[in-house]
């Protein structure tokens, strides 16, 4: 199975900050990488698919990048409603696997 | 508008079989490229993908659950199902179904609200 490692596990930032979350795969996943946002008590929501494609309805302050084994989710200007846990998921091969998540909180 | 909703027993005892239903609308599992997946999440923990079923009845399972899983669909009634045999307390989690679109693979673009399942004697 492909292991997905997210860092940091907890991130504190201020409103307006540029925030970067990292996700590293144990082998090349050829950009088959998605990002999900999960707010407390809610189901996950797809933000970014195939590394850098913005899901419909997601604000443009969210963006994704990466290749090979290293991927990044960037929030260009953090908003209070972005407080959540963020998960990456590889879907290059079965079984699909998720990272353990990065919990984003306001400083 | 795409919606999905999970249903299940709520609580069951160790060694029993867990049966989950995903009832969806806004898409058809007979449409080329459509699929439904099941993902679970123990309280306060991460996400674990369990199984996928596709429009052509192709199925994928997480091998970590060692043949305990069976996924199926009822295209006419817009439902997908997941059975987990021989449950134990480690299967206590919120179970989600989610739509996926693609050829063999794709992101989970719409999710149900989840159903909590507790395994306890």
């Amino acid at each position: 199975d492909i292991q997905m490692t997210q860092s940091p596990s907890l991130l504190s930032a201020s409103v307006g900050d540029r925030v970067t979350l990292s996700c590293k795969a144990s082998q090349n996943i050829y950009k088959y990488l998605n990002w999900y946002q999960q707010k407390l008590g809610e189901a996950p929501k797809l933000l970014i698919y195939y590394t850098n494609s913005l899901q419909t309805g997601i604000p443009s302050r969210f963006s994704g990048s990466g290749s090979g084994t290293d991927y990044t989710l960037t929030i260009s200007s953090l908003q209070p409603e972005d407080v959540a846990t963020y998960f990456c998921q590889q879907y290059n091969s079965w079984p699909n696997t998720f990272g353990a998540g990065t919990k984003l909180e306001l400083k | 508008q795409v919606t999905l909703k999970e249903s299940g027993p709520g609580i069951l005892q160790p060694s029993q079989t867990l049966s989950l239903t995903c009832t969806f609308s806004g898409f058809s599992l007979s449409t080329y490229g459509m699929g439904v997946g099941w993902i679970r999440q123990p309280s306060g923990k991460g996400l674990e993908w369990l199984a996928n079923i596709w429009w052509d009845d192709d199925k994928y399972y997480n091998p970590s659950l060692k043949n305990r899983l069976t996924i199926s669909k009822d295209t006419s009634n817009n439902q997908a199902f997941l059975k987990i045999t021989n449950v134990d307390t480690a299967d206590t989690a919120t179970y989600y179904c989610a739509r996926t679109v693609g050829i063999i693979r794709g992101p989970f673009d719409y999710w149900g609200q989840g159903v909590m399942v507790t395994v306890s004697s």
Side-chain angles (χ1 to χ4, degrees), chain B residues 59-78:
Chain B
K59 299 164 187 172
Y60 292 85
Y61 294 103
N62 191 326
S64 72
L65 274 82
K66 295 178 182 178
N67 300 321
R68 296 170 54 214
L69 301 176
T70 303
I71 193 169
S72 60
K73 61 183 171 69
D74 178 348
T75 303
S76 299
N77 289 306
N78 285 342

Side-chain angles (χ1 to χ4, degrees), chain A residues 1 32 34 36 38 41-46 48-50 55 87 89 91-100, chain B residues 39 41 45-49 51-52 54 60-64 96 104-114:
Chain A
D1 298 4
Y32 288 101
N34 305 315
Y36 299 89
Q38 187 177 33
E42 297 183 5
K45 177 195 295 185
L46 178 65
I48 302 281
Y49 61 96
Y50 195 60
Q55 174 67 351
F87 295 96
Q89 176 218 0
Y91 64 115
N92 176 66
S93 62
W94 301 100
N96 288 181
T97 45
F98 291 87
Chain B
I39 303 100
Q41 184 174 38
K45 298 192 177 180
L47 299 163
E48 179 182 29
W49 170 77
N52 266 40
W54 296 91
Y60 292 85
Y61 294 103
N62 191 326
S64 72
Y96 297 100
I104 299 179
R105 56 188 163 194
F108 295 113
D109 61 351
Y110 289 91
W111 293 62
Q113 65 190 25

Side-chain angles (χ1 to χ4, degrees), chain A residues 24-102:
Chain A
K24 186 175 182 67
S26 60
Q27 62 191 72
N28 193 340
I29 56 172
Y30 303 97
K31 295 192 173 185
Y32 288 101
L33 189 283
N34 305 315
W35 290 96
Y36 299 89
Q37 175 193 65
Q38 187 177 33
K39 296 182 179 180
L40 197 63
E42 297 183 5
K45 177 195 295 185
L46 178 65
L47 298 177
I48 302 281
Y49 61 96
Y50 195 60
T51 294
N52 56 15
S53 295
L54 193 66
Q55 174 67 351
T56 303
I58 301 302
S60 59
R61 65 179 179 274
F62 291 92
S63 64
S65 63
S67 63
T69 61
D70 295 311
Y71 298 84
T72 298
L73 174 69
T74 299
I75 307 173
S76 60
S77 179
L78 186 66
Q79 300 301 303
E81 61 266 31
D82 299 336
V83 169
T85 300
Y86 293 82
F87 295 96
C88 62
Q89 176 218 0
Q90 69 81 19
Y91 64 115
N92 176 66
S93 62
W94 301 100
N96 288 181
T97 45
F98 291 87
T102 292

